[in-house]
């Protein structure tokens, strides 16, 4: 039995939506309509860079806080390099993330020169006004 045009159209739109929302482009796609199977394979995610963070740094060090309620993003777009990673040194005013609110992308900037101790919020997570997004370590001596 051949699928009707509406079913094929719905399938195409659904697959396009999955691609639009995915953090990385897929490496493989397999679609079977008769019997309904869909397989999507993504590349292994890049392992995050880890820098040991003491509780003191997180508790007492400066933080980059959410300037408004919205959704926090680590990069300019899906699959792109994050603005910062743990261990990076940031300058005052440097963009370190994005908070999206009502379809408007708002740049999040570092309040001072410091080393990124840890990113406290996951990519695409909702955030509240004033919530700490990134913990900074102002001690830049190696």
């Amino acid at each position: 039995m051949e699928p009707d045009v509406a079913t094929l159209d719905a399938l195409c739109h659904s697959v396009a939506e999955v691609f639009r929302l995915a953090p990385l482009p897929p490496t493989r796609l397999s679609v079977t309509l008769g019997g309904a199977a869909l397989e999507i394979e993504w590349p292994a995610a890049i392992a995050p860079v880890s820098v040991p963070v003491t509780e003191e740094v997180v508790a007492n060090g400066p933080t980059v806080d959410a300037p408004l309620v919205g959704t926090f993003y680590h990069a300019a777009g899906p699959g792109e390099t994050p603005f910062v990673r743990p261990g990076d040194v940031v300058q005052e005013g440097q963009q370190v993330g994005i908070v999206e609110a009502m379809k408007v992308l708002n740049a999040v900037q570092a309040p001072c020169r410091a080393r990124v101790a840890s990113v406290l919020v996951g990519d695409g997570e909702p955030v509240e006004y004033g919530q700490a997004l990134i913990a900074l370590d102002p001690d830049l001596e190696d």
Side-chain angles (χ1 to χ4, degrees):
M1 177 174 164
E2 289 292 313
D4 60 60
V5 174
T7 303
L8 286 172
D9 188 51
L11 175 65
C12 289
H13 280 44
S14 296
V15 169
E17 186 68 5
V18 168
F19 283 7
R20 187 182 75 75
L21 296 174
L24 295 171
T27 56
R28 189 176 73 79
L29 169 67
S30 173
V31 178
T32 306
L33 193 54
L38 173 65
E39 293 179 41
I40 303 174
E41 188 175 298
W42 280 272
I46 298 171
V49 176
S50 171
V51 172
V53 177
T54 64
E55 290 301 317
E56 182 179 334
V57 169
V58 175
N60 298 326
T63 58
V64 177
D65 300 332
L68 66 162
V69 174
T71 303
F72 180 65
Y73 294 104
H74 294 193
E80 293 189 28
T81 303
F83 290 107
V84 295
R85 292 190 170 133
D88 289 352
V89 173
V90 296
Q91 303 300 320
E92 181 177 352
Q94 178 181 337
Q95 184 171 0
V96 295
I98 294 172
V99 173
E100 178 186 6
M102 297 174 53
K103 304 289 184 190
V104 176
L105 303 177
N106 301 276
V108 177
Q109 300 174 337
C112 61
R113 183 172 187 272
R115 186 175 311 278
V116 174
S118 65
V119 178
L120 305 171
V121 178
D123 190 45
E125 287 188 13
V127 295
E128 297 293 324
Y129 170 76
Q131 179 179 348
L133 305 173
I134 298 173
L136 300 174
D137 180 0
D139 182 13
L140 296 176
E141 295 178 26
D142 291 312

